[in-house]
Amino acid sequence: MRNTAKITTAVLAAGALTLGLSACGADSSDTDGPLIVAASPVPHAEILTFVKDNLAKKEGLDLQVKEFTDYVTPNTATQDGSVGANYFQNKPYLDDFNKKNGTDIVPVVTVHLEPLGLYSHKVKKADDLKSGATVAIPNDTVNEARALKLLAANGLITLKAGVGNEATPSDITKNPKNLKFKELEAAQTPRSLDDVDAAVVNGNYAIESDLKPSKDALVLESPKNNPYGNFLAVKKGNEDDPRVKKLAKLLTSPEVKKFIQDKYAGSVLASF
């Protein structure tokens, strides 16, 4: 996310895609029409599809799910009205996105947490990482800080006191293993596991790569008081859209909680 050129390219691509969505004739502002929700494929779109197939009809909700594999397009599409809502992100990421892009997207209801984890194909325990080991971490502002906080919480590094969601490797004050960091796009971190000693991977990308966070992670985020829960979000002013309210209710229903527990077995945790 620090690479301005990357953001600009992604936003331009997002603009082209959202124009295409608009051209299809879907009007997300029509509260009598379908509610189109942008989502990451796993687990967000899977959870939404469960709601669509099993719960939405009873509530009179016409739900459509649009899958996106990046972390930019769902917000730009929500902002310009190509979709009515999105479901893929956490509050620190959204705050950073709004600040950098001049958008006014707001959370509606928090649904789940995807614990960030440290994975390796080369060691079985974090303590077994050798001096000078290379660790891949996400390169966007919030997830990089989150990765470093995970390593710090498990004693691998120490961060400067009071560092927030913009922490970078330059904020490390103690590094007893002399770890080296390779900054990659979040989606690339699981693919780097054969090339680095370990990688910090977002939960959705771990699941997509057949990693089981609850079993395979060397260390894993705790859900207790965790600020990184993923939520349904809309453009400010659309919080009272009756379709959004219906979806918020369904996403925090006992049926969805059971679906999350049964399907993800601890790799995704319901936050309600």
Side-chain angles (χ1 to χ4, degrees):
M1 295 294 170
R2 288 191 184 80
N3 189 320
T4 303
K6 279 184 182 176
I7 289 182
T8 302
T9 301
V11 170
L12 286 172
L17 181 52
T18 54
L19 281 172
L21 286 172
S22 297
C24 293
D27 181 3
S28 67
S29 64
D30 177 10
T31 59
D32 293 325
L35 177 64
I36 305 172
V37 183
S40 299
V42 179
H44 310 80
E46 292 179 343
I47 294 171
L48 287 169
T49 298
F50 171 80
V51 171
K52 178 179 183 292
D53 292 345
N54 297 278
L55 306 174
K57 188 175 181 180
K58 293 178 183 177
E59 291 292 325
L61 175 64
D62 184 357
L63 177 62
Q64 295 183 10
V65 183
K66 294 282 186 182
E67 294 188 13
F68 297 90
T69 57
D70 69 284
Y71 285 169
V72 175
T73 316
N75 276 336
T76 57
T78 302
Q79 182 69 23
D80 72 14
S82 299
V83 301
N86 68 55
Y87 174 35
F88 77 101
Q89 64 193 321
N90 58 53
K91 189 64 163 57
Y93 177 82
L94 177 59
D95 289 345
D96 183 67
F97 188 95
N98 279 335
K99 180 180 178 181
K100 288 179 176 176
N101 294 280
T103 48
D104 58 349
I105 297 164
V106 296
V108 176
V109 65
T110 301
V111 181
H112 76 270
L113 172 72
E114 302 160 28
L116 198 73
L118 177 69
Y119 300 84
S120 177
H121 286 171
K122 299 177 181 177
V123 299
K124 298 295 185 184
K125 297 187 296 182
D127 288 344
D128 292 340
L129 287 169
K130 296 179 180 179
S131 179
T134 298
V135 179
I137 57 176
N139 68 357
D140 63 274
T141 302
V142 170
N143 282 310
E144 181 167 64
R146 187 179 174 189
L148 293 173
K149 289 178 182 180
L150 173 68
L151 299 178
N154 287 276
L156 292 169
I157 58 172
T158 301
L159 289 171
K160 190 185 302 180
V163 70
N165 290 317
E166 295 187 353
T168 71
S170 64
D171 294 306
I172 296 172
T173 57
K174 293 181 182 178
N175 187 358
K177 288 183 177 288
N178 192 31
L179 298 176
K180 295 177 173 57
F181 297 96
K182 186 172 184 177
E183 297 169 296
L184 301 171
E185 290 186 11
Q188 298 297 323
T189 54
R191 301 171 197 170
S192 73
L193 282 168
D194 289 330
D195 303 316
V196 298
D197 297 289
V200 179
V201 182
N202 290 72
N204 61 314
Y205 292 129
I207 296 168
E208 288 177 21
S209 300
D210 294 325
L211 294 167
K212 294 181 171 57
S214 58
K215 294 181 179 179
D216 297 332
L218 306 183
V219 296
L220 197 64
E221 279 182 325
S222 168
K224 186 176 181 181
N225 299 321
N226 195 303
Y228 298 107
N230 283 204
F231 48 71
L232 181 70
V234 297
K235 185 176 181 180
K236 188 174 182 180
N238 293 338
E239 302 95 317
D240 292 330
D241 182 324
R243 301 169 302 169
V244 171
K245 287 188 170 183
K246 287 178 182 179
L247 180 56
K249 176 184 174 183
L250 294 175
L251 281 172
T252 53
S253 65
E255 293 89 344
V256 167
K257 178 174 280 190
K258 185 176 187 305
F259 173 78
I260 291 172
Q261 291 170 340
D262 291 347
K263 184 170 181 64
Y264 302 110
S267 295
V268 176
L269 304 171
S271 297
F272 56 92

